[in-house]
Amino acid sequence: MSSSASSALMSFYIPIFLCLICSISAANHPIPLNGTCHDTCGTIPVKFPFGTEFGCGHPEFSRYVRCNSGTLEFSTGTGIYTISSIDYPSNTLIVTDPLMSTCSSMQNSGSFSLDRASPFTLTGENIFVLLGCSTTSPVFDPKEDLCNTGSGSRVCKGLYSCKGVQGIGLPHNAPISTCCVYESPIQLAGYTLDLPKLQCSSYTSIYSFGGNEGDPMKWEFGISLQYNGSYYSNICKDCESSGGLCGFAGIDQSFACICRNGKNTTTSCFAQGVAWSGTVGSKVQTKFSLAGILLPWLVVSI
């Protein structure tokens, strides 16, 4: 074969060969999700029953949890709060209110509520504290017994020792007569902390003392919630095993397995034309001869 013919063949086959190499590389690496569902939001892993967008996760949770510009948010009737962490083995999560007071910063807060019909409940770790309350506040009604006057007094003293208390118009180490460790009379389902009705300036929630009950700067502030983990099913497990993410679609919000190639199925992502780990699917062997040069066998997982 002449050198000109050989060069012509090389210029014809090399692009084909390069395209094959690209295909092999794509098959050996995870394919990014083309849809709107993702398995992380910022630095927080997002797993079922939660989702990053509407249509992701379980429909019962989609109205409460969503990813917004890299921040996982929790919504209720009183506002939008940041989810700082999720512990999937214990089915718990921590939400923080940007207006909630902490030892380092206290300010006038809004109210907090938890829908009675939501798949979330408060955990027993929460200690709600009302700050800057009026002396005529209903929380101080002796007939209602809404304030913990035992260990709650130590919590109030700790918070009022914080310099941040000046942010709600109180002096450093103010008398704790305007503070109440609030014990809601309704703990079974739903929760409402109505600060205007309770005549209090601010609130906070402590879910852990950080191993040092005497140092409020080490206390962990946030609201600990338990979520219903019974929604996880075998069909969702099969979807996740195939590399997909569990979601829902249609008017009836029926189950959908959202695959990383952009396809949705009602079962799993197996047999959808995408290999997830190199062990799924069949192997195709191909050999090429470029300009009379026999190339090695190529094994491609598809």
Side-chain angles (χ1 to χ4, degrees):
M1 183 181 291
S2 65
S3 60
S4 59
S6 177
S7 299
L9 283 173
M10 289 290 286
S11 63
F12 176 77
Y13 282 113
I14 285 177
I16 298 176
F17 177 70
L18 292 177
C19 289
L20 176 63
I21 296 298
C22 293
S23 299
I24 295 172
S25 176
N28 289 334
H29 292 83
I31 298 175
L33 195 67
N34 292 329
T36 58
C37 297
H38 302 277
D39 56 9
T40 59
C41 180
T43 59
I44 299 180
V46 179
K47 302 178 182 179
F48 190 85
F50 304 117
T52 54
E53 299 288 345
F54 186 80
C56 310
H58 193 280
E60 289 293 324
F61 291 81
S62 64
R63 59 177 293 192
Y64 299 102
V65 176
R66 193 169 299 186
C67 185
N68 181 21
S69 301
T71 300
L72 197 60
E73 295 179 338
F74 177 79
S75 299
T76 74
T78 50
I80 298 175
Y81 311 92
T82 300
I83 298 176
S84 57
S85 65
I86 302 177
D87 184 54
Y88 290 97
S90 65
N91 294 342
T92 57
L93 54 88
I94 303 297
V95 302
T96 56
D97 181 349
L99 296 179
M100 179 176 20
S101 289
T102 65
C103 185
S104 58
S105 175
M106 296 189 189
Q107 57 191 325
N108 291 335
S109 306
S111 300
F112 175 79
S113 69
L114 195 61
D115 297 344
R116 185 179 294 271
S118 78
F120 299 91
T121 57
L122 294 171
T123 69
E125 283 73 26
N126 294 294
I127 300 175
F128 282 94
V129 188
L130 304 177
L131 306 168
C133 300
S134 166
T135 56
T136 60
S137 168
V139 298
F140 299 129
D141 186 342
K143 296 180 181 179
E144 298 294 337
D145 194 25
L146 298 177
C147 298
N148 182 339
T149 55
S151 60
S153 298
R154 295 196 299 271
V155 174
C156 285
K157 287 180 180 178
L159 288 171
Y160 277 15
S161 71
C162 300
K163 292 183 178 180
V165 76
Q166 298 174 4
I168 56 174
L170 295 175
H172 188 212
N173 289 317
I176 63 170
S177 57
T178 61
C179 174
C180 171
V181 173
Y182 183 63
E183 298 186 356
S184 171
I186 301 176
Q187 293 287 348
L188 297 178
Y191 186 85
T192 299
L193 196 65
D194 189 337
L195 261 64
K197 183 178 179 180
L198 297 174
Q199 301 176 29
C200 298
S201 300
S202 184
Y203 85 96
T204 190
S205 176
I206 305 158
Y207 67 90
S208 172
F209 289 112
N212 193 335
E213 191 171 344
D215 186 356
M217 285 298 294
K218 295 182 179 179
W219 296 354
E220 295 177 316
F221 296 91
I223 302 171
S224 176
L225 300 178
Q226 185 97 35
Y227 64 87
N228 188 339
S230 65
Y231 293 89
Y232 195 56
S233 61
N234 287 332
I235 190 172
C236 179
K237 188 182 299 183
D238 292 341
C239 171
E240 292 177 341
S241 297
S242 69
L245 295 176
C246 302
F248 57 95
I251 298 176
D252 60 350
Q253 297 185 338
S254 57
F255 175 82
C257 184
I258 301 169
C259 304
R260 297 177 186 265
N261 60 359
K263 295 182 179 180
N264 292 358
T265 77
T266 57
T267 53
S268 72
C269 296
F270 290 131
Q272 294 302 313
V274 178
W276 304 110
S277 63
T279 61
V280 179
S282 60
K283 292 183 178 181
V284 178
Q285 293 182 326
T286 308
K287 64 179 180 179
F288 284 89
S289 176
L290 299 184
I293 303 175
L294 184 65
L295 297 179
W297 289 90
L298 298 175
V299 180
V300 183
S301 295
I302 60 174

